Amino acid sequence: MRKKNIMVTGASRGLGLAITRRLISEGFNVMAVARNMTAELKELMAHSSAGEISFHEFDLNNVNDIPIFVRKVTGSNKGIWGLVNNAAVGHDGMLPTQHDSEIEELIRVNVQAPILLAKYVSRSMLIGGGGRIINVSSIIATTGYKGLAVYGATKAAMIGFSRSLARDLGGAKITVNAVAPGYMETEMTQGLDDVKLASVRRRSPLGALTTPDQVAGSVAFLLSDDAQTITGTVLTVDAGSTA
């Protein structure tokens, strides 16, 4: 059987790279979308079988070019079965002093781009008779966090979008879900001081941070046969910090 094609945005580092790595280990072909190739993604491609990963350079700031981009990728890969909307920007700052350009970019990349990608990629799924869409949200969508008002709003939008789109596309055997990671051991948390990291760990019943690989496993589950009747839900992966 031909392997199923999955588009993963923000695939060059962090969570997106972990998702890409996990999905090829599960037998999927991954269309890795990112602004730039990284050494980490290049190495992963070098150690993968031919065709398992294809790199597609694209900046999601360019929302007007998304229809053409999706048509190009779809045509060269004979359809797309799954979409993982992972890419996002994370500008922080207090709203009264945050620059309008940062607010606009947060909304454009974190909300408008995933919605447009889902719109155009789902057309391939409709033709193919089914598919999966996974939108990466965040626990901040429901908990809030100082300095992340706009970011939190964009991640809350992904949850609302996922729930309603699940109803729109369910009849076509397309499931739509959101994954809400907590604090992860990534470049972002490396910038936190030891006191803040200790505070984050104390809020978790497990006393730990979630790893990108663990979140990637949840994404893989939602793409598996076992999840074919799961749609319109949010899978929280945060070591219990919101319990």
Side-chain angles (χ1 to χ4, degrees):
M1 292 179 64
R2 182 171 59 87
K3 291 184 177 181
K4 293 175 179 176
N5 295 324
I6 313 293
M7 177 183 286
V8 179
T9 65
S12 63
R13 64 188 58 191
L15 177 57
L17 184 65
I19 291 171
T20 299
R21 184 183 298 110
R22 178 60 182 263
L23 295 188
I24 62 171
S25 74
E26 297 283 344
F28 294 104
N29 288 331
V30 174
M31 289 156 283
V33 179
R35 287 180 296 179
N36 301 294
M37 172 66 77
T38 60
E40 294 85 358
L41 179 58
K42 188 174 182 179
E43 181 181 4
L44 180 61
M45 293 178 70
H47 290 86
S48 301
S49 300
E52 284 185 329
I53 306 175
S54 57
F55 175 66
H56 303 271
E57 183 178 338
F58 188 74
D59 186 347
L60 292 177
N61 264 303
N62 302 323
V63 292
N64 292 333
D65 295 333
I66 287 177
I68 296 173
F69 172 71
V70 172
R71 283 199 296 271
K72 180 180 177 182
V73 176
T74 302
S76 62
N77 288 275
K78 298 181 180 179
I80 302 173
W81 184 79
L83 169 65
V84 181
N85 274 318
N86 165 72
V89 293
H91 302 310
D92 62 348
M94 302 298 288
L95 184 62
T97 57
Q98 191 164 23
H99 200 281
D100 287 355
S101 63
E102 290 188 343
I103 295 172
E104 291 165 1
E105 185 180 22
L106 279 160
I107 295 172
R108 188 167 55 248
V109 175
N110 295 8
V111 180
Q112 188 177 0
I115 289 174
L116 289 173
L117 282 170
K119 172 183 178 178
Y120 291 103
V121 172
S122 65
R123 293 179 177 180
S124 180
M125 298 175 187
L126 290 169
I127 294 172
R132 308 283 172 87
I133 297 174
I134 300 170
N135 298 309
V136 177
S137 180
S138 168
I139 62 169
I140 292 173
T142 53
T143 66
Y145 196 86
K146 183 179 180 180
L148 293 177
V150 181
Y151 177 81
T154 65
K155 290 305 182 178
M158 284 295 93
I159 292 176
F161 173 59
S162 299
R163 292 192 189 280
S164 291
L165 188 62
R167 292 186 176 275
D168 285 348
L169 300 179
K173 296 182 180 179
I174 299 171
T175 68
V176 186
N177 293 288
V179 173
Y183 289 95
M184 292 183 289
E185 295 175 356
T186 63
E187 294 175 0
M188 181 180 72
T189 54
Q190 287 175 4
L192 297 177
D193 59 44
D194 292 340
V195 174
K196 289 183 178 179
L197 279 175
S199 176
V200 171
R201 289 191 175 96
R202 282 197 302 271
R203 287 199 296 269
S204 163
L206 299 177
L209 296 179
T210 300
T211 69
D213 287 340
Q214 290 164 344
V215 179
S218 299
V219 171
F221 166 70
L222 290 173
L223 291 168
S224 71
D225 290 342
D226 290 334
Q228 60 185 313
T229 59
I230 298 175
T231 194
T233 194
V234 182
L235 181 55
T236 302
V237 190
D238 67 350
S241 64
T242 56

